[in-house]
Amino acid sequence: MYQACFNNKFTNSLVYYVLLSFLLLISPFLFIWELITTLPSCFQPIENMSGKVVLITGASSGLGELMAYEYAKRGACLAIVAIKELDSRLMQVADKALELGSPDVLFMFADVSKVEECRRFVDDTIKRFDRLDHLVCNAGIGNLYSVNIDVTKFAPVMDINFWGSIYPTHFAIPHLMRTGGKIVVNASSAGVLHPPKGGFYNASKAALIGFYESLRFEVSPRITITILTLGFIETRIITAKYLTSGVGGHLKKDFSSLLPTMGAEPCAKAIVNGVCKGATSIVEPRFMKGLFLIKFLFPQLHRFYLSLYFPSESRKN
Ligand SMILES: NC(=O)c1ccc[n+]([C@@H]2O[C@H](COP(=O)([O-])OP(=O)(O)OC[C@H]3O[C@@H](n4cnc5c(N)ncnc54)[C@H](OP(=O)(O)O)[C@@H]3O)[C@@H](O)[C@H]2O)c1
Ligand SMILES: *[C@@H]1O[C@H](CO)[C@@H](O)[C@H](O)[C@H]1NC(C)=O
Ligand SMILES: *[C@@H]1O[C@H](CO)[C@@H](O)[C@H](O)[C@H]1NC(C)=O
Ligand SMILES: CC(=O)N[C@H]1CO[C@H](CO)[C@@H](O)[C@@H]1O
């Protein structure tokens, strides 16, 4: 009987429209609820990071570097990881973190897409500090190409962005369970909004969100997971490699001229602040939340404005 009902195309979509009308009807109340629940978080106690241990992957540049400084200012011991090519940069980050107030900084070179190297840097962190409080899975790469170029070239995007977060998380969980620690994951608003040409990058970020939203239930309440879905952030410290790979350049032209961007330093500060308050998700710049809502409630509208930003001739490669 019910099955017959849902086999009928009309009644089937009717349920959807009934739900949608219901949502629209209660949305003023949801709005007030959002306001009321946001207020107390201003007064939420903030974790004292003094003497705690934070492991950050991809800390040699960009937001990872700035987050390291934020944690250093709060007196946390740091274990920072980057891939070898940028090694002198990582040492400079370590020195600056010590200057800013971190009691001890361990820097390590590893490729997060290799499982054994992830095991090693988590173990080395424990050997040095004997504890782990926050794991920040920040390392990631971006590629702005469509699927018709060379599909095999993009395995590293998945290896670094997805597996490069999963491996350290796997090895860190027993230690985080001991301290009641936190995991911070660098997803992206791309993982929610899926604009064209970002297929591989955005899919790797979407996979991260899917995995960690589910892991959340397995490890709670001992471990808090914070998922970052960031929009466009102006990272002033852009490395040579990042520039030559063309990602930074493309972004400027394609998107960030259309959407307001946020400064990298206030962003890093907002992230560490949110994590220390136990936030489960952080959206910066905050207006991106509005776009997420539109995407979920009115997917057609979302596709429409994306197709205006990316006319079909611009999608060729
Ligand atoms: N989690 C994800 O990755 C994900 C995936 C898909 C969609 N979304 C969308 O994300 C939006 C928010 O998700 P939610 O329901 O979990 O509720 P939420 O109310 O945004 O956030 C939960 C916690 O995160 C904190 N937080 C959020 N942004 C922060 C920031 N910039 N700095 C510091 N703390 C911050 C909030 O406290 P404060 O506001 O004061 O700080 C709150 O304690 C929704 O629109 C959802 O559709 C998220
Ligand atoms: C943070 O903890 C340290 C010791 O772990 C303590 O000396 C310090 O006073 C604490 N700071 C605050 C603001 O509670
Ligand atoms: C996250 O990864 C992107 C690349 O995928 C990188 O540009 C950014 O600095 C990383 N960190 C944060 C906190 O977004
Ligand atoms: C909204 C957003 O961040 N989309 C991203 C999708 O992926 C590409 C990389 O391939 C990014 O440049 C886009 O910014």
Side-chain angles (χ1 to χ4, degrees):
M1 166 65 186
Y2 285 123
Q3 205 169 2
C5 173
F6 283 104
N7 282 339
N8 179 312
K9 204 169 169 191
F10 176 73
T11 47
N12 206 346
S13 50
L14 189 67
V15 175
Y16 168 70
Y17 286 110
V18 168
L19 282 175
L20 200 61
S21 317
F22 175 69
L23 269 175
L24 288 175
L25 216 68
I26 63 164
S27 59
F29 304 101
L30 286 178
F31 179 76
I32 293 166
W33 178 250
E34 273 277 330
L35 281 182
I36 295 172
T37 51
T38 312
L39 275 178
S41 74
C42 302
F43 309 102
Q44 223 163 315
I46 193 157
E47 186 180 355
N48 181 356
M49 290 309 296
S50 166
K52 299 224 172 134
V53 179
V54 181
L55 171 57
I56 305 176
T57 65
S60 60
S61 67
L63 280 162
E65 174 184 358
L66 294 171
M67 286 173 75
Y69 300 152
E70 275 306 316
Y71 276 114
K73 284 181 203 159
R74 289 158 203 251
C77 299
L78 295 176
I80 52 180
V81 179
I83 200 158
K84 199 138 203 155
E85 299 160 55
L86 301 167
D87 53 0
S88 72
R89 197 64 234 140
L90 191 64
M91 275 181 261
Q92 287 164 18
V93 175
D95 286 340
K96 187 158 177 207
L98 286 170
E99 267 170 44
L100 286 172
S102 176
D104 195 1
V105 181
L106 170 67
F107 61 89
M108 295 170 285
F109 303 110
D111 180 351
V112 289
S113 62
K114 308 256 163 65
V115 63
E116 280 314 313
E117 296 188 24
C118 293
R119 184 202 300 274
R120 182 176 50 79
F121 72 67
V122 173
D123 284 351
D124 287 352
T125 304
I126 299 301
K127 262 183 222 145
R128 171 81 156 253
F129 300 108
D130 201 33
R131 66 181 290 154
L132 179 61
D133 295 281
H134 291 193
L135 168 70
V136 183
C137 299
N138 165 75
I141 57 169
N143 277 295
L144 249 187
Y145 301 103
S146 71
V147 70
N148 53 26
I149 296 236
D150 174 5
V151 79
T152 57
K153 249 175 45 193
F154 298 100
V157 180
M158 206 61 186
D159 289 345
I160 295 172
N161 290 3
F162 182 71
W163 293 110
S165 295
I166 308 297
Y167 295 149
T169 299
H170 170 74
F171 296 118
I173 279 178
H175 306 294
L176 293 169
M177 278 289 181
R178 229 170 5 111
T179 54
K182 298 191 166 91
I183 301 175
V184 186
V185 191
N186 177 11
S188 159
S189 52
V192 185
L193 300 175
H194 342 284
K197 262 190 181 177
F200 300 102
Y201 174 78
N202 301 337
S204 71
K205 295 301 192 181
L208 276 181
I209 296 173
F211 179 85
Y212 284 93
E213 283 294 354
S214 158
L215 182 69
R216 204 192 277 295
F217 298 100
E218 286 178 54
V219 297
S220 82
R222 276 306 275 173
I223 300 178
T224 307
I225 294 183
T226 308
I227 299 176
L228 309 177
T229 38
L230 303 181
F232 283 108
I233 310 295
E234 299 156 21
T235 30
R236 273 191 294 119
I237 313 118
I238 286 177
T239 64
K241 195 183 161 211
Y242 196 69
L243 276 179
T244 51
S245 70
V247 179
H250 275 85
L251 284 186
K252 272 263 167 309
K253 263 184 256 126
D254 270 358
F255 233 142
S256 54
S257 54
L258 298 156
L259 293 174
T261 57
M262 186 189 193
E265 267 158 67
C267 176
K269 193 167 182 168
I271 294 171
V272 175
N273 221 29
V275 173
C276 291
K277 279 184 177 179
T280 50
S281 84
I282 294 183
V283 185
E284 287 294 351
R286 287 207 149 182
F287 77 89
M288 297 297 288
K289 265 180 163 179
L291 291 186
F292 293 176
L293 270 181
I294 293 175
K295 161 88 186 3
F296 284 121
L297 287 177
F298 310 105
Q300 293 95 332
L301 177 62
H302 178 73
R303 276 179 229 136
F304 175 70
Y305 61 66
L306 277 184
S307 71
L308 289 185
Y309 286 164
F310 296 90
S312 52
E313 66 273 18
S314 80
R315 289 178 221 153
K316 294 218 173 78
N317 50 43

